[in-house]
Amino acid sequence: MSDTVSYTELGLANTREMFKKAVGGGYAIPAYNFNNLEQLQAIITACAETSSPVIVQVSKGARDYANETMLRYMALGAVRMAREMGSNIPIALHLDHGDSFELCKSCVDSGFSSVMIDGSHLPYEENVKLTRQVVEYAHQHDVTVEGELGVLAGIEDEVQAETSTYTKPEEVEDFVSKTGVDSLAISIGTSHGAYKFKLKEGEEVPPLRFDILEEIERRIPGFPIVLHGASSVLQEYVQLINNYGGKMEGAVGVPEEQLRRAAASAVCKINIDSDGRLAVTAKVREYLSQHPEEFDPRKYLGVARKELIKLIKHKNETVLGSAGRA
Ligand code: 13P
C-alpha cells in the first residue's frame, strides 16, 4: 500500500448515501469516537449485530494518540472484521473537528472517507473560505465534508469553549451554497463532555432549541444536519464511577427523549464520545475494585468492551433508530 491511499481501497464508504437514506428515513447515523482497539471492536461488533450503518470518527487528539498509520490499518481491520462477521454495513472513517486545511488534506490522503473542517470559531467569511478550500480538495477524492456554524460549549480534546453560540438560521443557506459542504453541524444547546448543564437542586435539563432546528430545516430542506455533544451521560455509569472511587459529581447529558426527537428530524448524524468513555471507565473501576489481584488488561478491558457493545446496541436500537438500516 502506498503512502497515499484512497478510502475505497480500505473498503470504507463516504457519508453521502448514508445521509440520503437517513434524512428520508427519519433516523440518524451514529458517529462514535474511538482511539483504541477495544472501542473499535465494540463499535463494529454492535453495529454489525444491529445491522446499523456507522461512522467511526477520530479527533485530532485521538489521531495524535493512536498514530495515523496505525489508525489506517485499524480501519482496514474494522471493515474486514465486519465482513468476516457476515455483515455488509457501510462504515465511514471520519475526522472529527479538523482545524486546518493541512490536517484535512492529510486525512483525505491517508484513507479517511469523510472529514470535518471546524471553522466555527472564525469570523463568518473566514469560516466560509476555509471550509470551501477543504471541500474543493476533498471532493476531488470523493471524500465528504462536514462544516459547522455556531459554537458548542464544553471540552473535547483540544476543542473547548466556555459558552455556546447558537447557530444563526439566516446564515445557513449562504454557508451551504458558498462552501459546497455535504453536511452541517449546528449548535442548538448540546455541548461536549460529561458536564453539559449546570443544574441547581431540583432543576431539569433545559430542552434543546428545536425552534432553531426547525427554522434551519425550513431554509435548507432535506439537507443533512449534524448534532455534536449528544451524549446522554447515563447516570448508572456516573454512579458506578462514583461508587468505585471516582469523582464525577454533577455530570449530566442530553436526555435520550430529546435525541429521539432530533433523530426523527433533519438531524442525520449524532456524535457520541463521552457515553462510551463513561461506560469503559465505570466497568474498569468496578472490575479492578472487585478483583484487586487481577493484572491482565484483557480481563478489565474485556468487561469494558462488553459493556460498550451493550451501550452501542441500545443507542442504535432505541435512540437513533439506525438499527436495521444498513
Ligand atoms: P459528547 O461529549 O457529548 O459525547 O460529544 C462528542 C462529540 O460531539 C464529538 O465530536
Side-chain angles (χ1 to χ4, degrees):
M1 205 179 284
S2 71
D3 273 355
T4 300
V5 59
S6 159
Y7 69 86
T8 51
E9 289 173 57
L10 302 179
L12 296 162
N14 70 21
T15 56
R16 194 166 296 125
E17 200 52 33
M18 288 185 190
F19 288 168
K20 208 169 130 193
K21 287 189 185 159
V23 171
Y27 61 94
I29 310 284
Y32 296 113
N33 289 70
F34 79 100
N35 48 54
N36 71 24
L37 172 72
E38 284 77 9
Q39 284 174 312
L40 189 56
Q41 288 173 319
I43 296 166
I44 297 300
T45 303
C47 290
E49 287 181 358
T50 55
S51 212
S52 168
V54 66
I55 297 168
V56 292
Q57 60 184 13
V58 293
S59 63
K60 183 169 175 286
R63 198 162 162 272
D64 293 342
Y65 173 83
N67 178 284
E68 180 185 325
T69 310
M70 179 65 89
L71 280 174
R72 180 198 298 182
Y73 286 104
M74 281 173 79
L76 178 64
V79 175
R80 294 228 176 131
M81 180 182 149
R83 305 303 174 240
E84 276 165 21
M85 289 173 73
S87 168
N88 212 19
I89 54 166
I91 302 170
L93 176 63
H94 175 77
L95 169 70
D96 193 21
H97 292 288
D99 62 356
S100 68
F101 172 76
E102 289 70 28
L103 175 60
C104 291
K105 179 180 181 300
S106 144
C107 286
V108 170
D109 292 346
S110 69
F112 282 63
S113 61
S114 170
V115 292
M116 174 188 193
I117 176 68
D118 181 0
S120 60
H121 53 285
L122 297 171
Y124 179 77
E125 289 304 334
E126 283 177 45
N127 186 4
V128 169
K129 200 169 151 215
L130 177 62
T131 306
R132 175 79 220 156
Q133 189 189 11
V134 171
V135 168
E136 274 170 8
Y137 186 76
H139 281 184
Q140 285 169 33
H141 302 266
D142 208 22
V143 167
T144 37
V145 180
E146 175 182 324
E148 178 160 342
L149 275 177
V151 180
L152 266 69
I155 303 177
E156 194 216 9
D157 292 343
E158 293 93 22
V159 183
Q160 57 174 297
E162 283 290 315
T163 50
S164 66
T165 314
Y166 295 126
T167 304
K168 297 189 186 96
E170 59 275 19
E171 286 180 350
V172 297
E173 290 143 294
D174 187 67
F175 186 81
V176 162
S177 71
K178 277 193 183 147
T179 59
V181 280
D182 301 281
S183 60
L184 180 68
I186 60 165
S187 172
I188 55 165
T190 60
S191 75
H192 290 122
Y195 302 88
K196 298 193 189 300
F197 308 98
K198 285 194 182 65
L199 301 178
K200 296 200 187 86
E201 189 68 29
E203 241 175 27
E204 299 222 339
V205 171
L208 298 180
R209 291 288 304 270
F210 283 101
D211 55 321
I212 299 180
L213 176 61
E214 280 160 19
E215 180 58 19
I216 291 171
E217 221 176 323
R218 199 184 63 73
R219 286 171 181 265
I220 43 173
F223 193 80
I225 300 298
V226 179
L227 213 53
H228 282 241
S231 277
S232 293
V233 186
L234 299 165
Q235 291 303 303
E236 59 184 275
Y237 295 136
V238 176
Q239 267 159 29
L240 263 186
I241 290 172
N242 289 339
N243 288 348
Y244 288 103
K247 209 164 182 283
M248 291 199 66
E249 304 306 334
V252 56
V254 183
E256 292 186 339
E257 201 37 55
Q258 297 203 27
L259 296 171
R260 274 186 206 105
R261 185 173 161 193
S265 75
V267 170
C268 68
K269 172 175 180 267
I270 291 192
N271 286 10
I272 298 164
D273 187 4
S274 298
D275 277 348
R277 295 181 183 196
L278 289 167
V280 167
T281 303
K283 283 295 161 181
V284 168
R285 278 192 179 278
E286 180 186 52
Y287 188 89
L288 288 177
S289 176
Q290 290 176 351
H291 304 84
E293 74 295 346
E294 194 52 71
F295 68 100
D296 181 344
R298 289 174 296 184
K299 292 284 170 50
Y300 52 86
L301 294 179
V303 292
R305 183 175 61 189
K306 198 166 159 208
E307 189 64 30
L308 204 46
I309 293 172
K310 194 175 114 194
L311 171 73
I312 293 171
K313 285 184 169 179
H314 162 75
K315 297 266 180 199
N316 294 353
E317 283 167 349
T318 71
V319 185
L320 283 79
S322 63
R325 307 286 192 155

